[in-house]
Amino acid sequence: MDHITFLVTVVIVTALAFDFTNGFHDTANAMATSIATGALKPRTAVLLSGVLNIGGAFLSTEVAKTVSGGIVDDTLVTPGMIFAGLVGAILWNLLTWLLGLPSSSSHALFGGLVGAVWVGAGEHGVHFDKVVEKVLIPAVASPIVAGVAALLATYLAYKITARARQDSVTKGFRLGQIASASLVSLAHGTNDAQKTMGVITLTLISAGALGHDAGPPVWVIASAGLAIGLGTYLGGWRIIRTMGKGLTDIQSPQGFAAEAAATTVILTSAHLGFALSTTQVCSGGILGAGLGRRLAEVRWGTAGRMVIAWLVTLPAAALVGGVSASVVKHGGTFGTVVIALCAAAVAAFIVLASRRNPVRADNVNDAHEVTVRAAVPTTVGTVA
């Protein structure tokens, strides 16, 4: 433990803060459709999702190893670079949460790390072949696979139950959604919680506290699981509204199909060590489910804004991570403090801005889109 310096401690705390934002940013991945169809009450859904995220964190460490020793050269990385990368990821998560955009927390993290390491150690510090293999290719393929699978499953679900009583069909698929949404939450823990484990492990390796190619210690697994679980429980209601009501009008058979398809893709990828975006997978599943039901309305404007956010996530987070790394590199401890204070100020501004139009458990199904009003209402709600 002699290697755990003050800077390393700051980086670990920052990594867990990112994990927390990842939790409330990605709650919608598992529970948006179940909340939208009424299969689960909002508060029950986020509690269930939070508990299962913690459980999923202990199931596998393949993705964590990809992050800690795959996309960057752990022999060249310093805790300061990791801190800078995390700043870029956290700020992008908060900004897209404010706008209700289901962007990728995973790609925000990878973008921040790539930008910070590129600036701090040069381009040879980034394994671009691994970025393409483990991040970019899955980013393109996974939502397409999930979408096609959900489309076919939705079509078959309606075909098979065409002559059944509608109330019985709805009740049956709502029960199925409880199981399928739970599996998505468990799968999310096996994928997203591991990314923070990988970052903390990379920090410990760079500080000499762990050997190269080491896996995450038990305390790292437990703390990452708890952080993402707590963030999930608080509920990212703004993004839940967009995914549950903004992409298409979800019925229970569609919700079950979308969740089942997403679970299959996420668990398979976690087993193979692909650090994919669960947000993109689940969004692809929802769009596929919308296309699979006859006469269902798919809101392509919302889908288009999401795709734009996906495209700019990596470069935007990389830019912030690179700028932060430059300040930390040339400013030392003073530069680190400056970046930390600036990040805290921006984060506080975003949280205050969210209070202008709060989205909560009691109004999450009221509208299709999240907006940020110019005027502050007389009654201030809780952070969504």
Side-chain angles (χ1 to χ4, degrees):
M1 298 299 287
D2 294 338
H3 297 280
I4 309 299
T5 64
F6 174 75
L7 179 57
V8 171
T9 302
V10 169
V11 175
I12 292 173
V13 171
T14 306
L16 293 176
F18 164 78
D19 206 22
F20 177 83
T21 67
N22 191 353
F24 73 71
H25 197 280
D26 287 4
T27 308
N29 296 346
M31 292 300 173
T33 55
S34 294
I35 292 171
T37 63
L40 287 167
K41 294 182 178 180
R43 287 293 182 189
T44 302
V46 296
L47 175 60
L48 178 62
S49 184
V51 171
L52 290 171
N53 263 285
I54 296 172
F58 287 88
L59 293 182
S60 171
T61 58
E62 291 303 316
V63 174
K65 293 176 182 176
T66 295
V67 175
S68 63
I71 63 174
V72 294
D73 188 340
D74 59 18
T75 63
L76 300 176
V77 173
T78 66
M81 296 178 200
I82 299 172
F83 170 75
L86 288 167
V87 167
I90 290 172
L91 293 183
W92 183 255
N93 267 0
L94 290 175
L95 176 61
T96 50
W97 163 75
L98 174 66
L99 299 176
L101 285 174
S103 70
S104 171
S105 297
S106 306
H107 291 175
L109 175 60
F110 299 143
L113 282 176
V114 167
V117 174
W118 196 346
V119 169
E123 63 179 87
H124 53 282
V126 181
H127 298 152
F128 288 102
D129 56 333
K130 291 295 183 181
V131 172
V132 172
E133 175 190 350
K134 297 287 189 178
V135 179
L136 296 183
I137 292 178
V140 175
S142 58
I144 296 174
V145 173
V148 172
L151 187 155
L152 294 174
T154 299
Y155 174 79
L156 290 173
Y158 280 104
K159 193 76 172 176
I160 293 170
T161 60
R163 298 181 182 276
R165 289 176 52 188
Q166 186 60 43
D167 57 343
S168 298
V169 171
T170 300
K171 182 179 180 180
F173 275 109
R174 282 182 175 176
L175 290 173
Q177 274 195 275
I178 296 174
S180 58
S182 298
L183 285 174
V184 175
S185 296
L186 194 68
H188 185 265
T190 67
N191 198 283
D192 278 47
Q194 289 189 55
K195 291 158 190 170
T196 298
M197 296 178 208
V199 169
I200 296 176
T201 302
L202 180 61
T203 303
L204 295 173
I205 291 173
S206 69
L210 291 176
H212 295 298
D213 299 324
V218 174
W219 70 267
V220 172
I221 297 173
S223 59
L226 287 171
I228 200 169
L230 181 59
T232 301
Y233 173 69
L234 291 182
W237 304 112
R238 306 175 81 81
I239 298 176
I240 289 175
R241 172 181 287 184
T242 299
M243 290 186 72
K245 291 293 186 178
L247 285 174
T248 186
D249 292 319
I250 287 286
Q251 295 180 356
S252 54
Q254 295 168 281
F256 176 79
E259 291 160 359
T263 300
T264 302
V265 173
I266 295 169
L267 287 177
T268 301
S269 300
H271 177 70
L272 296 174
F274 292 129
L276 52 70
S277 165
T278 54
T279 300
Q280 293 181 3
V281 172
C282 294
S283 299
I286 292 172
L287 282 173
L291 293 171
R293 177 167 69 91
R294 186 184 178 192
L295 303 179
E297 178 189 2
V298 176
R299 300 181 182 92
W300 293 108
T302 301
R305 288 193 293 274
M306 286 172 50
V307 172
I308 292 172
W310 293 353
L311 292 175
V312 301
T313 292
L314 267 168
L319 178 62
V320 177
V323 171
S324 301
S326 179
V327 175
V328 171
K329 181 179 179 180
H330 295 99
T333 302
F334 176 75
T336 303
V337 172
V338 168
I339 290 298
L341 292 175
C342 289
V346 173
F349 173 80
I350 292 174
V351 171
L352 290 174
S354 73
R355 293 175 178 267
R356 296 177 178 176
N357 185 23
V359 183
R360 305 176 298 269
D362 59 352
N363 69 354
V364 68
N365 285 330
D366 288 354
H368 295 320
E369 295 183 2
V370 172
T371 57
V372 182
R373 294 174 184 155
V376 180
T378 54
T379 301
V380 178
T382 57
V383 175

